[in-house]
Amino acid sequence: MTLGDGAASMLVLDVERIVGPQASRTHVRLPFVPEREAEVLEVRFSYEPKVLADEERERALIEEGLRLYAESLESGRPREPVLNLLTLSLDGPSGFRGCAHRHNPDQSITVGRDSATPGFIAGVLEAGCWTATVSVHCVVSERCTFRVQVSVQR
């Protein structure tokens, strides 16, 4: 595997999981331990589907939402798709290193000594146990598959 700049890297975590609506409002912690201090950590995070394709379930969820939030909705509001939402946070041995609470279902995150993807903290990537946490905010489809891959460059 190579990073964006062509440098060789080593895969230290590759996890794929399937979650359903019952997993909404939960967190999946994925610990990993690079063998030694790294120069760059690259995380690939993806999930699918993003959009609920079941029109009957979509209608039921929208009707439920309308009952709950009817007073705050404006009339004539355009229809919005009903979406799954999963996000990723990263913790190093010394604590929080950032989060990507974005709606993009396919993300690439880089954390290095001198720079990091916005939302993440650049700095020394110390040896020890790291954790990638997938926050399952909302799953509206029957199933949603996510994948987290972490590579290190030394």
Side-chain angles (χ1 to χ4, degrees):
M1 175 173 275
T2 60
L3 294 175
D5 63 3
S9 64
M10 182 172 76
L11 188 66
V12 295
L13 177 71
D14 188 1
V15 174
E16 183 173 286
R17 299 255 173 95
I18 298 171
V19 293
Q22 71 283 359
S24 294
R25 293 176 283 204
T26 64
H27 304 281
V28 179
R29 289 174 178 77
L30 304 168
F32 61 95
V33 180
E35 290 181 15
R36 60 180 192 262
E37 205 171 277
E39 294 291 322
V40 176
L41 188 87
E42 182 177 72
V43 181
R44 295 274 308 148
F45 171 59
S46 61
Y47 63 95
E48 61 180 355
K50 177 64 176 173
V51 176
L52 178 61
D54 180 338
E55 288 185 21
E56 188 175 312
R57 179 158 169 73
E58 181 181 55
R59 180 179 215 65
L61 288 169
I62 289 171
E63 287 173 356
E64 179 183 343
L66 286 171
R67 281 192 299 278
L68 291 172
Y69 301 105
E71 294 175 11
S72 64
L73 291 175
E74 302 172 13
S75 63
R77 186 178 149 179
R79 182 182 171 282
E80 296 287 332
V82 178
L83 308 174
N84 292 323
L85 178 61
L86 284 68
T87 61
L88 183 97
S89 301
L90 187 63
D91 292 277
S94 299
F96 181 75
R97 291 302 293 263
C99 59
H101 286 192
R102 300 171 175 91
H103 286 268
N104 185 346
D106 190 10
Q107 301 175 33
S108 182
I109 298 148
T110 303
V111 179
R113 291 176 186 262
D114 301 320
S115 65
T117 299
F120 291 84
I121 302 167
V124 173
L125 303 176
E126 64 265 359
C129 187
W130 287 70
T131 304
T133 301
V134 176
S135 294
V136 183
H137 296 279
C138 184
V139 175
V140 294
S141 55
E142 280 193 35
R143 52 188 276 164
C144 182
T145 304
F146 72 82
R147 185 170 189 183
V148 177
Q149 294 178 296
V150 179
S151 300
V152 294
Q153 175 186 348
R154 295 186 172 85

